[in-house]
mmCIF file of all heavy atoms in Angstrom:
data_model
loop_
_atom_site.group_PDB
_atom_site.id
_atom_site.type_symbol
_atom_site.label_atom_id
_atom_site.label_comp_id
_atom_site.label_asym_id
_atom_site.label_seq_id
_atom_site.Cartn_x
_atom_site.Cartn_y
_atom_site.Cartn_z
ATOM 1 N N ILE D 263 -64.360 6.212 -30.332
ATOM 2 C CA ILE D 263 -65.146 7.230 -29.652
ATOM 3 C C ILE D 263 -65.074 8.609 -30.324
ATOM 4 O O ILE D 263 -66.041 9.360 -30.300
ATOM 5 C CB ILE D 263 -64.748 7.314 -28.156
ATOM 6 C CG1 ILE D 263 -65.909 7.850 -27.315
ATOM 7 C CG2 ILE D 263 -63.504 8.126 -27.936
ATOM 8 C CD1 ILE D 263 -66.942 6.842 -26.986
ATOM 9 N N GLY D 264 -63.958 8.922 -30.953
ATOM 10 C CA GLY D 264 -63.781 10.222 -31.603
ATOM 11 C C GLY D 264 -64.767 10.502 -32.727
ATOM 12 O O GLY D 264 -64.999 11.659 -33.084
ATOM 13 N N ARG D 265 -65.371 9.469 -33.261
ATOM 14 C CA ARG D 265 -66.364 9.645 -34.341
ATOM 15 C C ARG D 265 -67.745 10.002 -33.812
ATOM 16 O O ARG D 265 -68.668 10.218 -34.580
ATOM 17 C CB ARG D 265 -66.455 8.373 -35.179
ATOM 18 C CG ARG D 265 -65.154 8.012 -35.857
ATOM 19 C CD ARG D 265 -65.284 6.830 -36.755
ATOM 20 N NE ARG D 265 -66.229 5.832 -36.210
ATOM 21 C CZ ARG D 265 -66.507 4.689 -36.780
ATOM 22 N NH1 ARG D 265 -65.958 4.370 -37.923
ATOM 23 N NH2 ARG D 265 -67.349 3.842 -36.226
ATOM 24 N N PHE D 266 -67.890 10.064 -32.477
ATOM 25 C CA PHE D 266 -69.205 10.248 -31.883
ATOM 26 C C PHE D 266 -69.296 11.472 -30.969
ATOM 27 O O PHE D 266 -70.118 11.508 -30.053
ATOM 28 C CB PHE D 266 -69.596 8.979 -31.111
ATOM 29 C CG PHE D 266 -69.693 7.776 -31.987
ATOM 30 C CD1 PHE D 266 -68.593 6.949 -32.179
ATOM 31 C CD2 PHE D 266 -70.864 7.481 -32.663
ATOM 32 C CE1 PHE D 266 -68.656 5.837 -33.005
ATOM 33 C CE2 PHE D 266 -70.947 6.371 -33.493
ATOM 34 C CZ PHE D 266 -69.840 5.551 -33.674
ATOM 35 N N VAL D 267 -68.475 12.485 -31.222
ATOM 36 C CA VAL D 267 -68.493 13.705 -30.413
ATOM 37 C C VAL D 267 -69.894 14.323 -30.453
ATOM 38 O O VAL D 267 -70.524 14.399 -31.509
ATOM 39 C CB VAL D 267 -67.420 14.708 -30.898
ATOM 40 C CG1 VAL D 267 -67.540 16.036 -30.167
ATOM 41 C CG2 VAL D 267 -66.026 14.118 -30.720
ATOM 42 N N ASP D 268 -70.374 14.720 -29.287
ATOM 43 C CA ASP D 268 -71.701 15.313 -29.088
ATOM 44 C C ASP D 268 -72.847 14.345 -29.333
ATOM 45 O O ASP D 268 -73.992 14.753 -29.501
ATOM 46 C CB ASP D 268 -71.891 16.572 -29.955
ATOM 47 C CG ASP D 268 -70.938 17.684 -29.564
ATOM 48 O OD1 ASP D 268 -70.613 17.788 -28.363
ATOM 49 O OD2 ASP D 268 -70.516 18.433 -30.455
ATOM 50 N N LYS D 269 -72.565 13.048 -29.314
ATOM 51 C CA LYS D 269 -73.599 12.027 -29.494
ATOM 52 C C LYS D 269 -73.696 11.171 -28.229
ATOM 53 O O LYS D 269 -72.734 11.000 -27.503
ATOM 54 C CB LYS D 269 -73.265 11.137 -30.685
ATOM 55 C CG LYS D 269 -73.116 11.883 -31.995
ATOM 56 C CD LYS D 269 -73.887 11.193 -33.074
ATOM 57 C CE LYS D 269 -73.748 11.751 -34.449
ATOM 58 N NZ LYS D 269 -73.723 13.108 -34.705
ATOM 59 N N GLU D 270 -74.892 10.624 -28.017
ATOM 60 C CA GLU D 270 -75.118 9.681 -26.920
ATOM 61 C C GLU D 270 -74.694 8.285 -27.377
ATOM 62 O O GLU D 270 -75.116 7.845 -28.451
ATOM 63 C CB GLU D 270 -76.589 9.662 -26.522
ATOM 64 C CG GLU D 270 -77.049 10.891 -25.801
ATOM 65 C CD GLU D 270 -76.820 10.822 -24.300
ATOM 66 O OE1 GLU D 270 -76.771 9.716 -23.731
ATOM 67 O OE2 GLU D 270 -76.682 11.898 -23.710
ATOM 68 N N VAL D 271 -73.863 7.620 -26.569
ATOM 69 C CA VAL D 271 -73.371 6.285 -26.907
ATOM 70 C C VAL D 271 -73.411 5.396 -25.666
ATOM 71 O O VAL D 271 -73.636 5.868 -24.554
ATOM 72 C CB VAL D 271 -71.922 6.329 -27.457
ATOM 73 C CG1 VAL D 271 -71.838 7.152 -28.723
ATOM 74 C CG2 VAL D 271 -70.950 6.829 -26.408
ATOM 75 N N GLU D 272 -73.158 4.116 -25.895
ATOM 76 C CA GLU D 272 -72.985 3.171 -24.798
ATOM 77 C C GLU D 272 -71.631 2.498 -24.960
ATOM 78 O O GLU D 272 -71.283 2.057 -26.057
ATOM 79 C CB GLU D 272 -74.084 2.113 -24.804
ATOM 80 C CG GLU D 272 -73.909 1.087 -23.684
ATOM 81 C CD GLU D 272 -75.060 0.108 -23.619
ATOM 82 O OE1 GLU D 272 -76.123 0.485 -23.099
ATOM 83 O OE2 GLU D 272 -74.880 -1.032 -24.099
ATOM 84 N N ILE D 273 -70.900 2.435 -23.863
ATOM 85 C CA ILE D 273 -69.617 1.725 -23.819
ATOM 86 C C ILE D 273 -69.804 0.518 -22.920
ATOM 87 O O ILE D 273 -70.352 0.637 -21.817
ATOM 88 C CB ILE D 273 -68.494 2.623 -23.270
ATOM 89 C CG1 ILE D 273 -68.219 3.762 -24.245
ATOM 90 C CG2 ILE D 273 -67.231 1.818 -23.003
ATOM 91 C CD1 ILE D 273 -67.232 4.769 -23.737
ATOM 92 N N GLN D 274 -69.354 -0.643 -23.381
ATOM 93 C CA GLN D 274 -69.432 -1.860 -22.591
ATOM 94 C C GLN D 274 -68.014 -2.262 -22.226
ATOM 95 O O GLN D 274 -67.176 -2.453 -23.103
ATOM 96 C CB GLN D 274 -70.118 -2.965 -23.388
ATOM 97 C CG GLN D 274 -71.536 -2.603 -23.749
ATOM 98 C CD GLN D 274 -72.229 -3.666 -24.571
ATOM 99 O OE1 GLN D 274 -71.616 -4.597 -25.086
ATOM 100 N NE2 GLN D 274 -73.542 -3.534 -24.689
ATOM 101 N N GLY D 275 -67.741 -2.349 -20.933
ATOM 102 C CA GLY D 275 -66.382 -2.672 -20.516
ATOM 103 C C GLY D 275 -66.272 -2.867 -19.019
ATOM 104 O O GLY D 275 -67.206 -3.344 -18.372
ATOM 105 N N TRP D 276 -65.113 -2.459 -18.479
ATOM 106 C CA TRP D 276 -64.794 -2.673 -17.078
ATOM 107 C C TRP D 276 -64.337 -1.380 -16.431
ATOM 108 O O TRP D 276 -63.711 -0.532 -17.061
ATOM 109 C CB TRP D 276 -63.682 -3.712 -16.940
ATOM 110 C CG TRP D 276 -64.065 -5.041 -17.468
ATOM 111 C CD1 TRP D 276 -64.672 -6.048 -16.789
ATOM 112 C CD2 TRP D 276 -63.892 -5.503 -18.802
ATOM 113 N NE1 TRP D 276 -64.889 -7.107 -17.632
ATOM 114 C CE2 TRP D 276 -64.411 -6.793 -18.877
ATOM 115 C CE3 TRP D 276 -63.342 -4.939 -19.962
ATOM 116 C CZ2 TRP D 276 -64.408 -7.544 -20.036
ATOM 117 C CZ3 TRP D 276 -63.340 -5.679 -21.122
ATOM 118 C CH2 TRP D 276 -63.858 -6.965 -21.153
ATOM 119 N N LEU D 277 -64.600 -1.277 -15.153
ATOM 120 C CA LEU D 277 -64.127 -0.165 -14.353
ATOM 121 C C LEU D 277 -62.744 -0.521 -13.820
ATOM 122 O O LEU D 277 -62.598 -1.529 -13.136
ATOM 123 C CB LEU D 277 -65.084 0.076 -13.182
ATOM 124 C CG LEU D 277 -64.692 1.175 -12.221
ATOM 125 C CD1 LEU D 277 -64.941 2.533 -12.869
ATOM 126 C CD2 LEU D 277 -65.479 1.052 -10.927
ATOM 127 N N TYR D 278 -61.716 0.276 -14.175
ATOM 128 C CA TYR D 278 -60.410 -0.053 -13.626
ATOM 129 C C TYR D 278 -59.969 0.918 -12.551
ATOM 130 O O TYR D 278 -58.976 0.677 -11.859
ATOM 131 C CB TYR D 278 -59.343 -0.248 -14.716
ATOM 132 C CG TYR D 278 -58.839 0.996 -15.395
ATOM 133 C CD1 TYR D 278 -57.755 1.706 -14.883
ATOM 134 C CD2 TYR D 278 -59.413 1.445 -16.565
ATOM 135 C CE1 TYR D 278 -57.294 2.834 -15.523
ATOM 136 C CE2 TYR D 278 -58.951 2.565 -17.212
ATOM 137 C CZ TYR D 278 -57.886 3.259 -16.679
ATOM 138 O OH TYR D 278 -57.428 4.375 -17.320
ATOM 139 N N ASN D 279 -60.715 1.995 -12.325
ATOM 140 C CA ASN D 279 -60.444 2.893 -11.208
ATOM 141 C C ASN D 279 -61.613 3.850 -11.074
ATOM 142 O O ASN D 279 -62.316 4.117 -12.045
ATOM 143 C CB ASN D 279 -59.141 3.668 -11.409
ATOM 144 C CG ASN D 279 -58.595 4.237 -10.123
ATOM 145 O OD1 ASN D 279 -59.116 3.981 -9.049
ATOM 146 N ND2 ASN D 279 -57.535 5.010 -10.218
ATOM 147 N N ILE D 280 -61.801 4.370 -9.875
ATOM 148 C CA ILE D 280 -62.852 5.360 -9.637
ATOM 149 C C ILE D 280 -62.397 6.308 -8.538
ATOM 150 O O ILE D 280 -61.758 5.891 -7.579
ATOM 151 C CB ILE D 280 -64.195 4.678 -9.268
ATOM 152 C CG1 ILE D 280 -65.326 5.698 -9.191
ATOM 153 C CG2 ILE D 280 -64.078 3.873 -8.000
ATOM 154 C CD1 ILE D 280 -66.716 5.089 -9.111
ATOM 155 N N ARG D 281 -62.688 7.596 -8.734
ATOM 156 C CA ARG D 281 -62.439 8.618 -7.717
ATOM 157 C C ARG D 281 -63.726 9.432 -7.602
ATOM 158 O O ARG D 281 -64.417 9.632 -8.586
ATOM 159 C CB ARG D 281 -61.329 9.600 -8.107
ATOM 160 C CG ARG D 281 -60.094 9.049 -8.648
ATOM 161 C CD ARG D 281 -59.011 10.110 -8.932
ATOM 162 N NE ARG D 281 -59.362 11.336 -9.625
ATOM 163 C CZ ARG D 281 -59.489 11.490 -10.932
ATOM 164 N NH1 ARG D 281 -59.376 10.469 -11.725
ATOM 165 N NH2 ARG D 281 -59.753 12.655 -11.461
ATOM 166 N N SER D 282 -63.989 9.887 -6.410
ATOM 167 C CA SER D 282 -65.170 10.735 -6.270
ATOM 168 C C SER D 282 -64.885 11.868 -5.307
ATOM 169 O O SER D 282 -64.040 11.757 -4.417
ATOM 170 C CB SER D 282 -66.379 9.927 -5.802
ATOM 171 O OG SER D 282 -66.160 9.410 -4.517
ATOM 172 N N LYS D 283 -65.580 12.957 -5.555
ATOM 173 C CA LYS D 283 -65.490 14.157 -4.734
ATOM 174 C C LYS D 283 -66.901 14.656 -4.529
ATOM 175 O O LYS D 283 -67.452 15.320 -5.400
ATOM 176 C CB LYS D 283 -64.679 15.222 -5.472
ATOM 177 C CG LYS D 283 -63.269 15.376 -5.056
ATOM 178 C CD LYS D 283 -62.684 16.555 -5.783
ATOM 179 C CE LYS D 283 -61.630 17.179 -4.912
ATOM 180 N NZ LYS D 283 -60.871 18.186 -5.599
ATOM 181 N N GLY D 284 -67.515 14.269 -3.432
ATOM 182 C CA GLY D 284 -68.877 14.716 -3.155
ATOM 183 C C GLY D 284 -69.880 14.216 -4.165
ATOM 184 O O GLY D 284 -70.140 13.026 -4.267
ATOM 185 N N LYS D 285 -70.421 15.107 -4.960
ATOM 186 C CA LYS D 285 -71.493 14.777 -5.905
ATOM 187 C C LYS D 285 -70.976 14.567 -7.327
ATOM 188 O O LYS D 285 -71.738 14.625 -8.280
ATOM 189 C CB LYS D 285 -72.541 15.889 -5.910
ATOM 190 C CG LYS D 285 -73.111 16.207 -4.557
ATOM 191 C CD LYS D 285 -74.131 15.197 -4.156
ATOM 192 C CE LYS D 285 -74.755 15.605 -2.822
ATOM 193 N NZ LYS D 285 -75.710 14.666 -2.352
ATOM 194 N N ILE D 286 -69.670 14.293 -7.462
ATOM 195 C CA ILE D 286 -69.089 14.013 -8.780
ATOM 196 C C ILE D 286 -68.167 12.801 -8.670
ATOM 197 O O ILE D 286 -67.458 12.640 -7.682
ATOM 198 C CB ILE D 286 -68.348 15.244 -9.346
ATOM 199 C CG1 ILE D 286 -67.926 15.013 -10.786
ATOM 200 C CG2 ILE D 286 -67.178 15.640 -8.477
ATOM 201 C CD1 ILE D 286 -67.451 16.260 -11.506
ATOM 202 N N ALA D 287 -68.223 11.929 -9.679
ATOM 203 C CA ALA D 287 -67.376 10.728 -9.709
ATOM 204 C C ALA D 287 -66.673 10.647 -11.054
ATOM 205 O O ALA D 287 -67.242 11.002 -12.089
ATOM 206 C CB ALA D 287 -68.213 9.479 -9.467
ATOM 207 N N PHE D 288 -65.438 10.192 -11.022
ATOM 208 C CA PHE D 288 -64.630 10.017 -12.228
ATOM 209 C C PHE D 288 -64.375 8.522 -12.392
ATOM 210 O O PHE D 288 -63.697 7.906 -11.583
ATOM 211 C CB PHE D 288 -63.309 10.773 -12.112
ATOM 212 C CG PHE D 288 -63.494 12.243 -11.876
ATOM 213 C CD1 PHE D 288 -63.502 12.757 -10.590
ATOM 214 C CD2 PHE D 288 -63.684 13.109 -12.948
ATOM 215 C CE1 PHE D 288 -63.680 14.115 -10.372
ATOM 216 C CE2 PHE D 288 -63.873 14.465 -12.741
ATOM 217 C CZ PHE D 288 -63.867 14.973 -11.444
ATOM 218 N N LEU D 289 -64.957 7.947 -13.442
ATOM 219 C CA LEU D 289 -64.841 6.521 -13.706
ATOM 220 C C LEU D 289 -63.794 6.294 -14.788
ATOM 221 O O LEU D 289 -63.923 6.820 -15.895
ATOM 222 C CB LEU D 289 -66.176 5.953 -14.203
ATOM 223 C CG LEU D 289 -67.343 5.942 -13.240
ATOM 224 C CD1 LEU D 289 -67.969 7.308 -13.144
ATOM 225 C CD2 LEU D 289 -68.361 4.939 -13.700
ATOM 226 N N GLN D 290 -62.780 5.516 -14.487
ATOM 227 C CA GLN D 290 -61.790 5.132 -15.477
ATOM 228 C C GLN D 290 -62.280 3.813 -16.076
ATOM 229 O O GLN D 290 -62.356 2.804 -15.378
ATOM 230 C CB GLN D 290 -60.413 4.958 -14.832
ATOM 231 C CG GLN D 290 -59.930 6.184 -14.078
ATOM 232 C CD GLN D 290 -59.760 7.382 -14.982
ATOM 233 O OE1 GLN D 290 -59.160 7.283 -16.042
ATOM 234 N NE2 GLN D 290 -60.288 8.518 -14.561
ATOM 235 N N LEU D 291 -62.639 3.869 -17.348
ATOM 236 C CA LEU D 291 -63.246 2.728 -18.030
ATOM 237 C C LEU D 291 -62.315 2.160 -19.084
ATOM 238 O O LEU D 291 -61.531 2.905 -19.687
ATOM 239 C CB LEU D 291 -64.557 3.159 -18.691
ATOM 240 C CG LEU D 291 -65.582 3.802 -17.762
ATOM 241 C CD1 LEU D 291 -66.658 4.508 -18.566
ATOM 242 C CD2 LEU D 291 -66.184 2.751 -16.843
ATOM 243 N N ARG D 292 -62.419 0.852 -19.313
ATOM 244 C CA ARG D 292 -61.637 0.223 -20.372
ATOM 245 C C ARG D 292 -62.486 -0.814 -21.075
ATOM 246 O O ARG D 292 -63.424 -1.362 -20.502
ATOM 247 C CB ARG D 292 -60.360 -0.409 -19.834
ATOM 248 C CG ARG D 292 -60.586 -1.586 -18.922
ATOM 249 C CD ARG D 292 -59.278 -2.204 -18.440
ATOM 250 N NE ARG D 292 -59.523 -3.272 -17.497
ATOM 251 C CZ ARG D 292 -59.801 -4.518 -17.813
ATOM 252 N NH1 ARG D 292 -59.855 -4.888 -19.074
ATOM 253 N NH2 ARG D 292 -60.016 -5.424 -16.882
ATOM 254 N N ASP D 293 -62.161 -1.021 -22.343
ATOM 255 C CA ASP D 293 -62.704 -2.157 -23.083
ATOM 256 C C ASP D 293 -61.514 -2.773 -23.790
ATOM 257 O O ASP D 293 -60.377 -2.447 -23.487
ATOM 258 C CB ASP D 293 -63.862 -1.754 -24.019
ATOM 259 C CG ASP D 293 -63.447 -0.859 -25.178
ATOM 260 O OD1 ASP D 293 -62.235 -0.618 -25.373
ATOM 261 O OD2 ASP D 293 -64.344 -0.403 -25.899
ATOM 262 N N GLY D 294 -61.730 -3.667 -24.709
ATOM 263 C CA GLY D 294 -60.615 -4.315 -25.391
ATOM 264 C C GLY D 294 -59.852 -3.407 -26.340
ATOM 265 O O GLY D 294 -58.830 -3.804 -26.885
ATOM 266 N N THR D 295 -60.321 -2.165 -26.527
ATOM 267 C CA THR D 295 -59.695 -1.278 -27.516
ATOM 268 C C THR D 295 -59.046 -0.034 -26.928
ATOM 269 O O THR D 295 -58.330 0.662 -27.623
ATOM 270 C CB THR D 295 -60.731 -0.811 -28.556
ATOM 271 O OG1 THR D 295 -61.681 0.059 -27.922
ATOM 272 C CG2 THR D 295 -61.449 -1.995 -29.200
ATOM 273 N N GLY D 296 -59.322 0.269 -25.662
ATOM 274 C CA GLY D 296 -58.741 1.479 -25.086
ATOM 275 C C GLY D 296 -59.325 1.835 -23.741
ATOM 276 O O GLY D 296 -60.028 1.036 -23.119
ATOM 277 N N ARG D 297 -59.022 3.075 -23.321
ATOM 278 C CA ARG D 297 -59.474 3.587 -22.022
ATOM 279 C C ARG D 297 -60.063 4.976 -22.197
ATOM 280 O O ARG D 297 -59.644 5.728 -23.075
ATOM 281 C CB ARG D 297 -58.296 3.678 -21.054
ATOM 282 C CG ARG D 297 -57.705 2.344 -20.733
ATOM 283 C CD ARG D 297 -56.527 2.498 -19.814
ATOM 284 N NE ARG D 297 -55.992 1.185 -19.485
ATOM 285 C CZ ARG D 297 -55.070 0.974 -18.584
ATOM 286 N NH1 ARG D 297 -54.549 1.983 -17.924
ATOM 287 N NH2 ARG D 297 -54.654 -0.241 -18.348
ATOM 288 N N ILE D 298 -61.010 5.294 -21.318
ATOM 289 C CA ILE D 298 -61.627 6.615 -21.341
ATOM 290 C C ILE D 298 -62.120 6.937 -19.935
ATOM 291 O O ILE D 298 -62.412 6.032 -19.149
ATOM 292 C CB ILE D 298 -62.788 6.685 -22.365
ATOM 293 C CG1 ILE D 298 -63.211 8.132 -22.604
ATOM 294 C CG2 ILE D 298 -63.952 5.825 -21.921
ATOM 295 C CD1 ILE D 298 -64.143 8.298 -23.793
ATOM 296 N N GLN D 299 -62.206 8.223 -19.647
ATOM 297 C CA GLN D 299 -62.758 8.652 -18.377
ATOM 298 C C GLN D 299 -64.213 9.033 -18.559
ATOM 299 O O GLN D 299 -64.572 9.745 -19.489
ATOM 300 C CB GLN D 299 -61.989 9.849 -17.832
ATOM 301 C CG GLN D 299 -62.563 10.381 -16.524
ATOM 302 C CD GLN D 299 -61.672 11.393 -15.863
ATOM 303 O OE1 GLN D 299 -60.795 11.011 -15.097
ATOM 304 N NE2 GLN D 299 -61.860 12.660 -16.177
ATOM 305 N N GLY D 300 -65.039 8.550 -17.641
ATOM 306 C CA GLY D 300 -66.431 8.950 -17.582
ATOM 307 C C GLY D 300 -66.606 9.885 -16.400
ATOM 308 O O GLY D 300 -66.071 9.627 -15.324
ATOM 309 N N VAL D 301 -67.340 10.965 -16.590
ATOM 310 C CA VAL D 301 -67.583 11.926 -15.522
ATOM 311 C C VAL D 301 -69.074 11.878 -15.193
ATOM 312 O O VAL D 301 -69.912 12.115 -16.059
ATOM 313 C CB VAL D 301 -67.166 13.352 -15.939
ATOM 314 C CG1 VAL D 301 -67.438 14.332 -14.821
ATOM 315 C CG2 VAL D 301 -65.694 13.382 -16.353
ATOM 316 N N ALA D 302 -69.375 11.544 -13.935
ATOM 317 C CA ALA D 302 -70.764 11.441 -13.493
ATOM 318 C C ALA D 302 -71.029 12.482 -12.416
ATOM 319 O O ALA D 302 -70.369 12.488 -11.379
ATOM 320 C CB ALA D 302 -71.045 10.052 -12.945
ATOM 321 N N GLU D 303 -71.978 13.362 -12.677
ATOM 322 C CA GLU D 303 -72.417 14.346 -11.688
ATOM 323 C C GLU D 303 -73.820 13.951 -11.250
ATOM 324 O O GLU D 303 -74.696 13.738 -12.095
ATOM 325 C CB GLU D 303 -72.423 15.739 -12.281
ATOM 326 C CG GLU D 303 -71.039 16.249 -12.620
ATOM 327 C CD GLU D 303 -71.066 17.681 -13.114
ATOM 328 O OE1 GLU D 303 -71.504 18.558 -12.338
ATOM 329 O OE2 GLU D 303 -70.668 17.901 -14.265
ATOM 330 N N GLU D 304 -74.025 13.879 -9.953
ATOM 331 C CA GLU D 304 -75.330 13.463 -9.442
ATOM 332 C C GLU D 304 -76.454 14.338 -9.983
ATOM 333 O O GLU D 304 -77.528 13.835 -10.315
ATOM 334 C CB GLU D 304 -75.343 13.474 -7.917
ATOM 335 C CG GLU D 304 -76.631 12.937 -7.345
ATOM 336 C CD GLU D 304 -76.627 12.839 -5.836
ATOM 337 O OE1 GLU D 304 -75.769 13.455 -5.186
ATOM 338 O OE2 GLU D 304 -77.512 12.141 -5.308
ATOM 339 N N SER D 305 -76.194 15.628 -10.143
ATOM 340 C CA SER D 305 -77.236 16.540 -10.615
ATOM 341 C C SER D 305 -77.671 16.256 -12.048
ATOM 342 O O SER D 305 -78.807 16.531 -12.416
ATOM 343 C CB SER D 305 -76.754 17.989 -10.513
ATOM 344 O OG SER D 305 -75.606 18.191 -11.311
ATOM 345 N N SER D 306 -76.787 15.677 -12.858
ATOM 346 C CA SER D 306 -77.157 15.415 -14.253
ATOM 347 C C SER D 306 -77.497 13.947 -14.535
ATOM 348 O O SER D 306 -78.286 13.665 -15.430
ATOM 349 C CB SER D 306 -76.059 15.891 -15.208
ATOM 350 O OG SER D 306 -74.856 15.219 -14.942
ATOM 351 N N CYS D 307 -76.918 13.014 -13.775
ATOM 352 C CA CYS D 307 -77.216 11.603 -14.049
ATOM 353 C C CYS D 307 -78.289 11.052 -13.123
ATOM 354 O O CYS D 307 -78.819 9.977 -13.367
ATOM 355 C CB CYS D 307 -75.957 10.746 -14.003
ATOM 356 S SG CYS D 307 -75.223 10.530 -12.378
#
């Protein structure tokens, strides 16, 4: 992922945790190579 800063990408994997606060959600994602947090704001997505 570090090679794609400021670029649009697709990650294929699994959700291993999720937290939300109103109009924002934090998705903990994993694939076979690592983990990353996705931040989803209703106003932007």
Side-chain angles (χ1 to χ4, degrees):
I263 206 80
R265 299 184 324 182
F266 298 92
V267 174
D268 296 327
K269 302 227 185 319
E270 288 273 334
V271 299
E272 179 175 282
I273 293 174
Q274 298 178 348
W276 298 271
L277 178 74
Y278 74 89
N279 199 6
I280 187 168
R281 314 183 314 278
S282 64
K283 259 186 149 171
K285 305 282 184 182
I286 188 168
F288 302 94
L289 294 79
Q290 304 298 312
L291 304 165
R292 67 179 176 84
D293 67 7
T295 68
R297 296 178 178 189
I298 193 168
Q299 178 170 272
V301 179
E303 293 184 61
E304 185 176 16
S305 61
S306 60
C307 69

